[in-house]
Amino acid sequence: MRKRFGCILIALVMVFCLSSGSFSDVNVFADEENYTEISSSSKVLTTGKYKLSSNVTLKNFLQIDSGEEVTLDLNGYELSVSGTRVIIVKGGTLNLIDSSEGKTGKVTNTSTSTSTHAIGISTNGTLNMNGGTVSGAYGIYTTDSSSIATINITAGTVKSTKRAAVYCYKGSVDISGTDCVEITADSSDSQAYGIHTVSATITISNPNTYVSTNSSSSYPVYKQSSSNVSITAGHYSADVTSYVSEGYSCNKTDDTDYPYVVTADVEEPEVVLPVLYGETLTLDGTLGVTFYFSMTDVESPANYTLSAKIGDDGEEQIIYASESKILSNGVEYYRYTVYVKPNEFLTTIYASLTDCENSTDTYEYSVYDYCLNAIENEWEESELCKALLNYGDYASAYDPGISQYSFEDIGDWTDPVAEAWDVDLSEYDGTETTGVAKTILLGNTVAIRLYLTSEAASEDDVFTVDGTTLELHSVDDKNYSYYIEFKVPAKDMDTTFTVLKNGVEFTTYSVLSYVKNIVETEDDTALANLCKAIYYYSLEASKYTGWQ
């Protein structure tokens, strides 16, 4: 069964006056209270405005002669006959409307003969249809091949039960506006076309036009001879590409009843995507790769986020841009940093920039890639990169995590951890403070963390390091109530930080204080070696002059 469209048809509000013409069983009236019954002996409608007040079955067809203009409001009722036709527009003009709320008005020919129709047009007649349903063996039919028929449809439905819904030998059929127009040939006959023309001009510009046929051997629109068909809109039960005007296309859709739709070709605007300007290591105390994207001529660059994951099976991360920068050559770029753990240096980072509608290519990079590039090209940070990879190697040995690799000697670098440990770290003892346990974090950020008992700290206390206030976190532990922490750049791992409590010195500590303690007291060789690698990494970091 074909889908039914709830088409909202705009009815014309008419003021009706009494006509001198007469015809059988039709009520014609000036207002709701005063109308006149017309004799069944007459069938000619003269100029005027007419309105049905009930369903009417005609004894004869209605005729509109040349020079006459008739407006017929179906008013939600049915005008029917079983004969050659219901209405013939013989040189005159018929304005067909339906002002009813339900839009149920009909003009119906119940004859089953293929030589009959609902509304005929001859002798240069004109039909302006703005509502109602017209149906018959043919719906609308031009009966005179020697005259010019004019058919204008802006709303309503035309159906046929045998042949074409609209048949126009010569003249024009124009379907315009935006209200719903349905043209349906509901027959399996080979000539059951939606619109059939021999030498007329067919123009369809209404986007809410629906034209269909049930016959597998006929078409929604069919022309013969010298016809001119121009389609720029509408929905169709079959492909009408051959009739589509230049600048428009007939495209296949998922609609099972009207799978083809005609729309204007829209030239897609050129989308300028961000361009990867380069990658670098993060050198701010965190571990990871920063992607730099040039945003020249990119629309709304701040709307872009980086979609990234570490490894093939990594969880997707959505990363927002840091503050944009302008390079010395005038290129604007945004920075997006993907942070990794020390045991993820070898793991590939997959990253692409997207604004939810457009996306760049997926870029692949890793800390390992960067370090090898720096070492092979003897960049300033090459020695730092060697120590960094060595640190990652021992981090993987201690905690395999996502990926584990074996770092071997690169260039003239020899792993100092494997050599005898003769480093003096005695100056990094730190301050012993009652109620405080000290450790470091070895995730994607090297950080110092201090655990505090309830005697050593309360929620009213303010802790600071180098003028930065540290957040006091609650911790569910039988020995400690809170912790505070702060990031430590690699170049500052040998720095002994002083923590103030309410403006007064509270305790001191450094990353190397932790390293010293582990190397001297820990029996876990893997952890001790990792701490030694951290020391050599910090040593090279302190020599690197590229820190900002």
Side-chain angles (χ1 to χ4, degrees), residues 267-278:
E267 185 175 347
E268 294 293 336
E270 181 182 359
V271 177
V272 180
L273 296 176
V275 177
L276 182 64
Y277 188 80

Side-chain angles (χ1 to χ4, degrees), residues 461-464 499-506:
D461 292 326
V462 178
F463 295 89
T464 59
V499 179
L500 302 182
K501 173 183 175 182
N502 303 324
V504 179
E505 181 175 327
F506 176 63

Side-chain angles (χ1 to χ4, degrees), residues 394 397-398 442 514-515 518-519 522-534:
Y394 282 102
Y398 176 68
L442 296 177
Y514 179 90
V515 169
I518 294 296
V519 172
E522 182 60 53
D523 294 331
D524 186 337
T525 302
L527 178 57
N529 285 341
L530 173 58
C531 286
K532 292 177 182 179
I534 290 174

Side-chain angles (χ1 to χ4, degrees), residues 482-499:
Y482 308 101
Y483 74 83
I484 55 177
E485 67 182 31
F486 52 93
K487 291 190 293 186
V488 180
K491 66 181 180 64
D492 294 332
M493 287 183 185
D494 63 344
T495 299
T496 297
F497 293 94
T498 299
V499 179

Side-chain angles (χ1 to χ4, degrees), residues 152-184:
N152 301 311
I153 305 175
T154 53
T157 300
V158 183
K159 295 182 178 180
S160 64
T161 57
K162 294 293 182 178
R163 298 289 174 81
V166 177
Y167 177 87
C168 185
Y169 191 96
K170 184 185 294 185
S172 65
V173 177
D174 185 271
I175 302 176
S176 61
T178 58
D179 286 337
C180 187
V181 174
E182 291 186 66
I183 310 291
T184 303

Side-chain angles (χ1 to χ4, degrees), residues 3 25 52 100 133 210 221 270 306 315 329 344 372 394 399 429 481 516:
K3 70 172 65 170
D25 299 335
L52 298 183
S100 69
T133 297
Y210 297 84
V221 180
E270 181 182 359
L306 192 76
E315 183 177 348
N329 59 4
E344 295 173 339
L372 286 186
Y394 282 102
D399 179 12
D429 287 333
S481 300
K516 171 182 179 294

